[in-house]
Amino acid sequence: MAVTVETLEKLERKITLSVPVTLIQSEVDTRLKRLARTVKMDGFRPGKVPMNVVAQRYGYSVQYEVLNDKVGEAFAVAANEANLRVAGQPRITEKEGAPEGQVTFDAIFEVFPEVKIADLSDAEVEKLSAEVTDAAIDKTIDILRKQRRSFAQRALDAAAQDGDRVTVDFEGKIDGEPFDGGKAEDFQFLVGEGQMLKEFEDAVRGMKSGESKTFPLAFPAEYHGKDVAGKTADFLVTVKKIEAAHLPEVNDALAKSLGIADGSVDGLRADIKKNLEREVKFRLLARNKQAVMD
């Protein structure tokens, strides 16, 4: 079997494969004989169907199957002998004008690029490292406490401050006209936590229950509401209720509520440290891997 390899554009290659007709016909005959032993046809007993009848009925499909197999095998052998790292499946087409006694095909395919690694003996990579500190553990505990905070209503003469949950009614207008999403009743948000635009929070901060205020609010140009982005609205807000946040104490009860096995603060801190160390490990692994690739 003669094999030639041509380089086309960039990573594209072409192999011309020649397969002897006798090899194909021999395999076809072998498979038809094997098929004849089990094939069933009306008028014949199983295994007694004449070969010429079997060939007439199944010859084309068996030949097609054999041709595909032999060409595939020839391509695999040729690519291996030529040390080609084939990427994907080849496009195989039959050629005309093959030599007598041969069937010839063109196989066009792509190969993986050759990657040459430079000398890395003098390369330096900064390996990042980090430790889980008590401050990081304390910060995580504060987050857990906030997630479990409760609220109690403040006195009527108390002013809203950061961390408070306020209940308000508000209505906004642009050029004296209401707009979609600009009005709400009994709306709650936490002051100072960025749940509302800064101008809105600044206006409510310091207000008392029962007070109303009118103030301008400029929507950012990149605001998600396209109809009001970049425009200025006049808002009327009325504070209906102010509630102060109460964070649970860091004690055994908190540890138990978080599912700590021994129900202790030390156990809680140890569990948080373990989880933070696992997270830091994965993040550092990704960062160091990226540093090596860069």
Side-chain angles (χ1 to χ4, degrees):
M1 180 177 64
V3 178
T4 58
V5 180
E6 297 179 40
T7 298
L8 303 180
E9 294 184 2
K10 298 180 180 179
L11 300 176
E12 198 171 54
R13 303 288 185 272
K14 181 172 76 172
I15 289 181
T16 300
L17 304 166
S18 295
V19 181
V21 173
T22 54
L23 178 64
I24 296 173
Q25 190 58 53
S26 174
E27 182 63 22
V28 169
D29 292 342
T30 299
R31 296 191 187 187
L32 286 175
K33 289 178 181 178
R34 188 185 307 127
L35 183 62
R37 292 198 294 267
T38 57
V39 71
K40 295 180 180 180
M41 287 188 182
D42 292 340
F44 299 96
R45 288 182 297 166
K48 299 298 182 179
V49 181
M51 273 298 301
N52 64 324
V53 177
V54 175
Q56 184 178 6
R57 174 71 65 87
Y58 297 103
Y60 177 79
S61 61
V62 171
Q63 185 173 12
Y64 180 79
E65 179 184 279
V66 170
L67 197 58
N68 278 341
D69 290 348
K70 292 304 178 184
V71 172
E73 291 172 5
F75 174 76
V77 170
N80 184 61
E81 290 180 355
N83 294 319
L84 296 173
R85 297 171 61 239
V86 179
Q89 294 296 321
R91 305 189 306 275
I92 297 178
T93 56
E94 186 174 356
K95 292 184 65 175
E96 296 182 356
E100 185 176 354
Q102 300 284 326
V103 183
T104 308
F105 298 87
D106 280 339
I108 299 176
F109 55 95
E110 289 189 347
V111 295
F112 288 104
E114 293 185 12
V115 179
K116 295 182 179 180
I117 301 177
D119 183 12
L120 301 177
S121 58
D122 295 329
E124 294 184 2
V125 177
E126 181 182 2
K127 184 177 181 181
L128 301 176
S129 62
E131 293 183 359
V132 175
T133 63
D134 287 340
I137 296 173
D138 291 338
K139 184 177 179 180
T140 302
I141 290 177
D142 286 341
I143 293 173
L144 294 172
R145 293 174 69 203
K146 284 185 176 180
Q147 292 173 350
R148 286 158 178 78
R149 60 189 157 188
S150 58
F151 293 90
Q153 187 167 348
R154 286 189 180 277
L156 296 179
D157 59 349
Q161 55 187 277
D162 286 347
D164 286 350
R165 182 171 67 185
V166 295
T167 303
V168 301
D169 292 344
F170 66 82
E171 182 176 13
K173 295 182 179 180
I174 297 177
D175 296 330
E177 296 295 330
F179 56 90
D180 289 342
K183 182 178 181 180
E185 295 180 354
D186 295 327
F187 182 84
Q188 291 185 333
F189 70 94
L190 296 171
V191 180
E193 298 205 0
Q195 296 178 355
M196 304 293 285
L197 291 176
K198 183 178 182 301
E199 291 91 336
F200 201 104
E201 288 196 346
D202 289 345
V204 172
R205 187 182 292 108
M207 292 181 66
K208 300 177 181 179
S209 296
E211 288 186 345
S212 297
K213 178 188 289 187
T214 301
F215 62 95
L217 186 149
F219 288 100
E222 66 277 6
Y223 191 68
H224 59 83
K226 302 300 182 183
D227 293 339
V228 299
K231 298 179 181 180
T232 298
D234 292 316
F235 273 89
L236 170 64
V237 61
T238 299
V239 176
K240 302 177 73 174
K241 185 167 61 175
I242 302 173
E243 298 170 286
H246 173 71
L247 300 179
E249 295 183 9
V250 181
N251 53 24
D252 292 350
L254 176 64
K256 290 178 181 178
S257 70
L258 292 169
I260 302 304
D262 65 1
S264 69
V265 174
D266 288 342
L268 171 61
R269 296 183 68 87
D271 188 71
I272 291 174
K273 183 176 182 180
K274 179 180 177 181
N275 290 331
L276 290 177
E277 286 176 339
R278 182 169 59 247
E279 183 178 348
V280 167
K281 176 183 176 181
F282 286 132
R283 289 189 178 184
L284 287 178
L285 181 63
R287 289 282 298 275
N288 288 329
K289 181 178 180 181
Q290 186 60 47
V292 171
M293 299 303 294
D294 292 342

